[in-house]
Amino acid sequence: MRSLAEDSVLSRTAATTPTRCQVSSAEDEVISRDSLTSETQNRIKQRKQALVDSCNKLDHGKISSYEEFYLKNTILKTSLFYSDKHKILFCSIPKCATRSQANFLANIEGIIDGKLANESASEYIERRLSVRNLNVSEVAKRIKNYTKFIIVREPFSRLLSAFRDKLERKRGNGYYVGLSHRIHAQYGNGTGNETGITKTSLQDFVEYLTAKRDNQQDPHWNYYYRLCSPCDIQYDYIAHMSTLDTDMEYFMKQFRMKNVVFPPSFNSFTDGKKVYNYFSNVSASSVNLLYHRYKTDYDIFGFSPPPQF
């Protein structure tokens, strides 16, 4: 039998397609879709209100100038993308369906899958739709006037995804291979694999993240509030990975986007069971420290605190 803690993790971190009612007629289907739209609309409103309430508790003052705000928050140059066609500003967070979001953004701008010459959708939006290509006043105008959109996921699930992708596998990008070695050398809790070679453990990574605040600078595990400044930008639509299909369906419906789909994001790499299994091997004190490091992200985006593993 699963424990209550495991059940909690599985329910909060699952990123599968939500179950829909079975319908027996066209009329039933309309009722079902209307009900789903109403449910999603309420969920989006609740998330936005949670953001406003949390930011008010932080006593976050209003900005006097979007130009000044943007100049002070240079990290936004790598996070913000825009669609002038639909007047939407997206904040893209690594490990939160960024590839799907890039394809979606390219598509709504009129670039159809398969029509990009010698570059990926991610490369295309970096080249054509990143705010870094605009001057300060053009960025400020979009922050002020465009509809703001963001996708987030349960923070521990995102951290595990980053750990497995960048540090555990030790292949690909040389920077992360070196970082993995340095983390293990410093925190020393890595275990041996079948070849006897030590590898960085999640315990090592958690100790690294909680040791000092500078260790969260990498965009794959940097805080949401740093990457996207939600208390200043005040996002209109907040999608969660766990409800991404219905969130995006509702979002596209509001903007009357036809013949456009949001590409599915496959997250079996860090599904609820894996999150539970991995964090069960991290000490309770380390999990607690990690939660408090990321507590602002949990509060601002309406995530429940993680259970005691």
Side-chain angles (χ1 to χ4, degrees):
M1 293 181 61
R2 292 198 303 260
S3 67
L4 290 176
E6 186 175 2
D7 284 337
S8 176
V9 176
L10 291 174
S11 65
R12 290 187 302 105
T13 61
T16 56
T17 301
T19 302
R20 293 185 172 87
C21 299
Q22 296 296 317
V23 295
S24 56
S25 68
E27 183 178 357
D28 288 339
E29 184 171 2
V30 170
I31 294 172
S32 176
R33 301 312 302 166
D34 287 346
S35 175
L36 186 61
T37 297
S38 177
E39 178 184 330
T40 305
Q41 182 181 36
N42 290 334
R43 188 167 62 229
I44 297 295
K45 286 182 177 179
Q46 289 170 1
R47 290 171 185 168
K48 186 174 180 180
Q49 189 60 52
L51 186 153
V52 171
D53 293 343
S54 295
C55 290
N56 286 339
K57 289 178 182 178
L58 293 171
D59 194 23
H60 195 86
K62 291 185 177 181
I63 57 178
S64 58
S65 162
Y66 283 110
E67 286 86 354
E68 183 179 344
F69 157 72
Y70 179 65
L71 288 172
K72 287 182 177 178
N73 293 271
T74 56
I75 197 169
L76 292 172
K77 291 181 179 179
T78 62
S79 301
L80 295 181
F81 298 86
Y82 62 92
S83 166
D84 284 339
K85 182 177 180 180
H86 294 280
K87 293 184 170 24
I88 303 169
L89 191 70
F90 297 83
C91 190
S92 182
I93 299 174
K95 313 309 296 180
C96 293
T98 48
R99 191 172 302 172
S100 296
Q101 189 170 331
N103 278 287
F104 174 73
L105 186 50
N107 285 345
I108 65 174
E109 282 294 293
I111 304 299
I112 308 301
D113 284 337
K115 296 293 181 66
L116 290 172
N118 302 318
E119 64 179 346
S120 66
S122 298
E123 292 169 331
Y124 171 80
I125 68 167
E126 283 283 352
R127 182 171 59 83
R128 295 286 300 275
L129 304 175
S130 170
V131 298
R132 73 173 71 192
N133 302 316
L134 305 173
N135 63 42
V136 174
S137 63
E138 289 175 326
V139 176
K141 181 181 70 174
R142 286 165 174 79
I143 293 175
K144 180 180 180 180
N145 298 316
Y146 280 19
T147 299
K148 275 76 73 175
F149 177 85
I150 187 172
I151 297 173
V152 292
R153 72 193 290 182
E154 201 281 333
F156 274 22
S157 174
R158 174 177 176 250
L159 291 175
L160 179 57
S161 178
F163 166 74
R164 296 197 70 197
D165 183 34
K166 301 300 180 183
L167 302 176
E168 185 183 53
R169 295 191 295 174
K170 282 190 176 180
R171 65 171 187 257
N173 190 304
Y175 167 77
Y176 290 106
V177 172
L179 179 61
S180 180
H181 283 297
R182 291 194 298 274
I183 290 173
H184 173 68
Q186 185 167 0
Y187 299 99
N189 293 310
T191 57
N193 61 19
E194 64 276 5
T195 65
I197 300 174
T198 57
K199 63 179 181 179
T200 302
S201 68
L202 183 60
Q203 176 75 46
D204 297 340
F205 182 50
V206 170
E207 290 189 25
Y208 166 76
L209 289 176
T210 55
K212 54 183 181 179
R213 294 196 177 275
D214 287 347
N215 288 347
Q216 295 93 27
Q217 296 298 317
D218 188 286
H220 295 89
W221 44 82
N222 206 338
Y223 305 118
Y224 297 151
Y225 73 84
R226 279 186 184 167
L227 291 169
C228 295
S229 298
C231 289
D232 294 304
I233 293 181
Q234 294 280 309
Y235 291 89
D236 302 289
Y237 291 88
I238 301 169
H240 282 195
M241 292 279 284
S242 58
T243 54
L244 190 55
D245 67 330
T246 50
D247 290 347
M248 290 306 303
E249 181 180 333
Y250 175 76
F251 176 74
M252 289 185 287
K253 184 177 181 179
Q254 300 310 299
F255 280 83
R256 294 179 173 84
M257 295 178 183
K258 297 181 179 180
N259 302 317
V260 176
V261 297
F262 189 84
S265 181
F266 301 102
N267 297 294
S268 59
F269 199 52
T270 51
D271 60 19
K273 187 174 182 180
K274 287 189 176 70
V275 173
Y276 178 81
N277 289 340
Y278 269 80
F279 276 96
S280 293
N281 293 315
V282 178
S283 69
S285 59
S286 295
V287 169
N288 188 52
L289 281 172
L290 185 67
Y291 165 63
H292 282 90
R293 274 281 193 266
Y294 289 82
K295 186 176 185 301
T296 300
D297 283 347
Y298 272 94
D299 292 344
I300 287 177
F301 291 106
F303 291 108
S304 300
Q308 292 298 313
F309 293 89

